[in-house]
Amino acid sequence: TGARVYYAMGQKLSNFGWLAHWNKRMDAPLRSIGLQSLVILGMVVGFGLMGKIHAQAYVDSGCAEVVAISNRSDIKMVEYLDKNPSCRSYSDWRSMLEIENLDVLSVTTYSPSHYDIVLHGVGSGISRIFCEKPLATRIDDAQAMIDACNRQAVRLVVNHTRRWSPSHVRLSELLRAGIIGEVRGIVCSL
């Protein structure tokens, strides 16, 4: 049997030419939450661009099937549901967490909502949570989320895909090996 994944998101993945490349970069983060050759029941809350990308990444992993999605706007879910008639939809993620039996929860909503969704996910017995960055908008909230996951032995991953990017991995290796030297400062511009 295949894995089932619940999603709450909403845009057409085929519109994004960079999706195939992004999905390859998702391999390591998905493995970090235990998605390999397992049968997974999961959900994504928030069916916008990132939610749709999460849904496709689960499907492309070969060990997940999207069985439910949740989004406040039904319009964002219609196209996906037309193509996936066995998938169930919810306009309220709380209802989906109460009704569905899940193993994986992907949180792809706007940042301030991550706290409530993750804590409800932990409370509903989900064993793996894959949350978009930032984990939370307040340090205290992030710590409470981490503590709740630790108490219930929930595997929590924050989606910082650059962490697995080959250039970042190589830089980390060079730093650890002492080849580059000591980092004394970092300058970033966005």
Side-chain angles (χ1 to χ4, degrees):
T1 59
R4 292 182 279 172
V5 178
Y6 300 78
Y7 284 92
M9 306 174 294
Q11 275 190 14
K12 187 176 179 183
L13 289 169
S14 60
N15 289 341
F16 306 101
W18 46 269
L19 179 62
H21 173 70
W22 192 88
N23 281 340
K24 288 179 186 172
R25 290 178 43 208
M26 287 295 293
D27 286 347
L30 290 174
R31 281 194 308 276
S32 73
I33 61 167
L35 253 183
Q36 290 170 354
S37 59
L38 304 173
V39 173
I40 301 293
L41 300 173
M43 169 186 81
V44 178
V45 175
F47 212 76
L49 171 61
M50 288 311 297
K52 289 178 180 181
I53 289 172
H54 277 238
Q56 189 63 48
Y58 282 110
V59 170
D60 290 348
S61 74
C63 57
E65 174 191 348
V66 178
V67 295
I69 59 176
S70 172
N71 198 75
R72 289 182 296 174
S73 167
D74 290 342
I75 292 170
K76 289 193 171 188
M77 298 186 287
V78 169
E79 183 179 355
Y80 188 85
L81 294 169
D82 285 346
K83 292 180 180 178
N84 301 279
S86 64
C87 183
R88 294 178 292 281
S89 66
Y90 297 83
S91 58
D92 177 26
W93 58 266
R94 288 174 187 87
S95 297
M96 187 166 61
L97 285 171
E98 289 173 14
I99 295 168
E100 303 288 349
N101 183 16
L102 308 170
D103 294 320
V104 175
L105 166 64
S106 275
V107 180
T108 63
T109 56
Y110 63 103
S111 303
S113 67
H114 292 180
Y115 176 78
D116 286 335
I117 296 169
V118 167
L119 291 183
H120 277 85
V122 170
S124 70
I126 292 172
S127 61
R128 298 169 182 90
I129 298 177
F130 192 31
C131 187
E132 271 300 320
K133 58 192 166 300
L135 178 60
T137 55
R138 296 184 44 227
I139 292 173
D140 291 344
D141 289 350
Q143 190 60 56
M145 295 158 76
I146 292 166
D147 292 344
C149 287
N150 285 337
R151 279 192 303 275
Q152 298 298 319
V154 172
R155 193 176 296 179
L156 173 65
V157 174
V158 180
N159 187 24
H160 289 283
T161 55
R162 287 181 186 87
R163 177 178 177 185
W164 290 282
S165 146
S167 61
H168 287 80
V169 169
R170 181 67 180 138
L171 176 61
S172 180
E173 291 167 352
L174 293 171
L175 285 167
R176 278 194 214 105
I179 294 170
I180 292 179
E182 181 182 345
V183 176
R184 295 183 182 191
I186 298 174
V187 176
C188 298
S189 120
L190 302 172

